Amino acid sequence: MDISALPYDYTLPEDVKKVALVIIDMQRDFLEPGGFGDALGNDVLRLQAIVPTLQQLLSTFRSMGLMVIHTVECHQPDLSDCPVSKLHRGKGDLKIGDRGPMGRILVKGEPGNGIIPELEPLPNEVVIYKPGKGAFYATPLSDLLQREGITHLLVTGVTTEVCVQTTMREANDRGYECLMVEDCTESYFPEFKQATLDMVRAQGGIVGWTAPAANVIAALQAWMQRPEEKAIAF
Ligand code: C5J
């Protein structure tokens, strides 16, 4: 079963349980005023446009019983996992660990660090807490994917050119077949989003594929309609 994608069709594995949805950092810190994104001077509201489409994709994965992985960029309260370079980067008034309107910026467990309610993880879904931009660095993600036999990752979330792209590149180097879902990822900078999509699929898909959510959902629904799947359902 193929997803119509760029630079060419993306082939789903025979066993669709090998596909996982990765939702990167859809946390209040990046999407709501008063968080880390805002502290860095960004227009955070423009990221919210992807939420309804991402909800549709998430609900397709949930209805098919496929693996869903959420990530959260955060640091321990004592900031011991935050490199000094990251701590001091930027010229905003609020830095990582400072107290803002939604609690301490980018600190695990603070209100601003929570995933937005529209995409609240279910108890059976994995949440990876990550101190870096990539979801593989200093996290159990690699072991988890290997243990679960995942081979294909559909990558979504924010921001496209930072944590989403870094994670997709890390995954690509580890041998995962990755597809970035175009309308389920967003950036504070539209031109950076476009450039990222172009870079990912350039040179014959040097980092992977891109496709809109509608194409992904259509392919997954078609997969469910295969005669062998219908037979299992009865
Ligand atoms: C950033 C992220 N932009 N989740 N984090 O600092 O992309």
Side-chain angles (χ1 to χ4, degrees):
M1 191 67 65
D2 287 349
I3 297 176
S4 176
L6 289 173
Y8 52 89
D9 285 356
Y10 175 87
T11 303
L12 289 168
E14 195 54 30
D15 178 2
V16 83
K17 295 263 183 229
K18 293 183 173 182
V19 182
L21 175 64
V22 183
I23 305 178
I24 303 283
D25 300 356
M26 289 298 285
Q27 57 201 77
R28 299 180 66 201
D29 283 310
F30 295 115
L31 285 112
E32 293 183 18
F36 187 52
D38 191 17
L40 294 175
N42 299 299
D43 171 12
V44 291
L45 297 181
R46 73 179 313 281
L47 302 192
Q48 293 180 7
I50 63 169
V51 173
T53 313
L54 193 40
Q55 279 180 304
Q56 279 176 30
L57 185 59
L58 176 58
S59 108
T60 305
F61 266 72
R62 284 176 174 167
S63 68
M64 292 177 70
L66 302 181
M67 188 169 201
V68 176
I69 299 164
H70 304 258
T71 73
V72 174
E73 183 177 347
C74 63
H75 295 283
Q76 297 299 322
D78 64 3
L79 305 183
S80 56
D81 58 353
C82 185
V84 175
S85 58
K86 182 175 181 184
L87 202 53
H88 295 306
R89 194 75 54 84
K91 295 192 185 305
D93 291 340
L94 288 176
K95 295 205 180 293
I96 295 169
D98 288 349
R99 196 161 289 284
M102 292 196 290
R104 293 183 66 205
I105 300 275
L106 230 53
V107 170
K108 189 173 179 185
E110 295 287 330
N113 207 229
I115 291 174
I116 58 168
E118 297 92 324
L119 299 169
E120 179 82 31
L122 294 178
N124 66 329
E125 291 171 356
V126 176
V127 181
I128 297 284
Y129 297 96
K130 62 183 187 58
K133 302 304 179 191
F136 286 84
Y137 168 68
T139 75
L141 181 58
S142 189
D143 289 346
L144 172 84
L145 295 177
Q146 280 185 37
R147 198 170 59 238
E148 297 296 324
I150 300 295
T151 54
H152 289 58
L153 298 177
L154 302 193
V155 188
T156 66
V158 298
T159 60
T160 314
E161 77 283 9
V162 186
C163 293
V164 178
Q165 177 171 212
T166 304
T167 298
M168 186 149 160
R169 287 177 181 274
E170 286 180 328
N172 185 52
D173 281 350
R174 286 166 173 78
Y176 294 97
E177 302 282 15
C178 300
L179 181 146
M180 193 180 286
V181 188
E182 294 162 10
D183 43 358
C184 288
T185 180
E186 197 45 90
S187 168
Y188 300 124
F189 308 94
E191 66 278 23
F192 290 174
K193 171 177 174 176
Q194 189 56 49
T196 302
L197 295 174
D198 290 341
M199 279 190 273
V200 159
R201 60 199 179 202
Q203 304 178 74
I206 197 147
V207 183
W209 287 258
T210 77
N215 295 9
V216 176
I217 293 170
L220 291 173
Q221 283 170 347
W223 196 93
M224 287 292 278
Q225 293 306 315
R226 297 188 328 168
E228 51 271 46
E229 300 313 314
K230 280 188 174 165
I232 292 167
F234 287 113

